Amino acid sequence: MDGLDVLGKLENEVVVKGLSAAQVWRFLTDTSKWEGYYDNVADISFPEGGGPALKDGLVFSFGTFGFPPLDALVPEFQAPADGVPGRLSWTAKQDGAPAEKLDVLHAWLVEDLPGGRVRILTQETQIGQPAAALAGERPNPMLPGRT
């Protein structure tokens, strides 16, 4: 985006035994569960209807890190199946003056592995001065608060 500071890319990968991709998928896609395991989300709404389950093309809104609610869109939604990893991503934007603009992408890959294990890969980018300001705080509030 024009004139915006890039925070960068964050990535987190974990392999867990005793869970399936389908079990993890429910927590990622059912927004009514988010506040039960992630303290830094609030005011989830669906301005065009739908929800609380995410699906391809769904528009939703949510608050995080004290920002005004972000408008979000789900551009990728592929539920996990036999031999097929689950893929989910959502984008969120906040327009306004340069000091307020944000452009965010969160993406997940959830796949079953041999031995009763599941791999969860999370990638995210944040572009904009508000995200850059948060990244400059110590401790960085975005790192322990990632989903």
Side-chain angles (χ1 to χ4, degrees):
M1 294 181 73
D2 294 335
L4 294 181
D5 298 329
V6 175
L7 167 64
K9 176 181 162 184
L10 301 172
E11 183 172 294
N12 188 30
E13 181 178 26
V14 63
V15 175
V16 181
K17 188 172 184 170
L19 285 175
S20 70
Q23 289 171 305
V24 173
W25 192 251
R26 286 193 302 268
F27 281 92
L28 288 178
T29 60
D30 183 350
T31 62
S32 70
K33 296 183 182 304
W34 288 5
E35 290 183 52
Y37 67 87
Y38 183 57
D39 292 336
N40 202 19
V41 68
D43 303 321
I44 300 167
S45 66
F46 302 89
E48 296 179 5
L54 298 180
K55 64 180 184 178
D56 194 40
L58 183 73
V59 173
F60 67 104
S61 177
F62 68 98
T64 188
F65 291 105
F67 296 131
L70 298 172
D71 297 321
L73 169 70
V74 178
E76 182 177 28
F77 187 98
Q78 169 63 56
D82 283 343
V84 178
R87 299 181 59 84
L88 171 67
S89 67
W90 55 260
T91 61
K93 292 189 179 193
Q94 178 176 291
D95 290 322
E100 299 169 343
K101 284 186 180 181
L102 280 173
D103 191 349
V104 178
L105 168 70
H106 282 213
W108 290 265
L109 177 89
V110 182
E111 67 180 324
D112 287 315
L113 299 175
R117 301 173 303 142
V118 65
R119 173 183 179 228
I120 306 163
L121 173 65
T122 306
Q123 296 180 321
E124 57 188 274
T125 62
Q126 300 89 17
I127 301 169
Q129 292 178 12
L134 275 179
E137 291 182 18
R138 296 296 178 256
N140 183 329
M142 288 190 285
L143 295 180
R146 290 190 315 194
T147 60

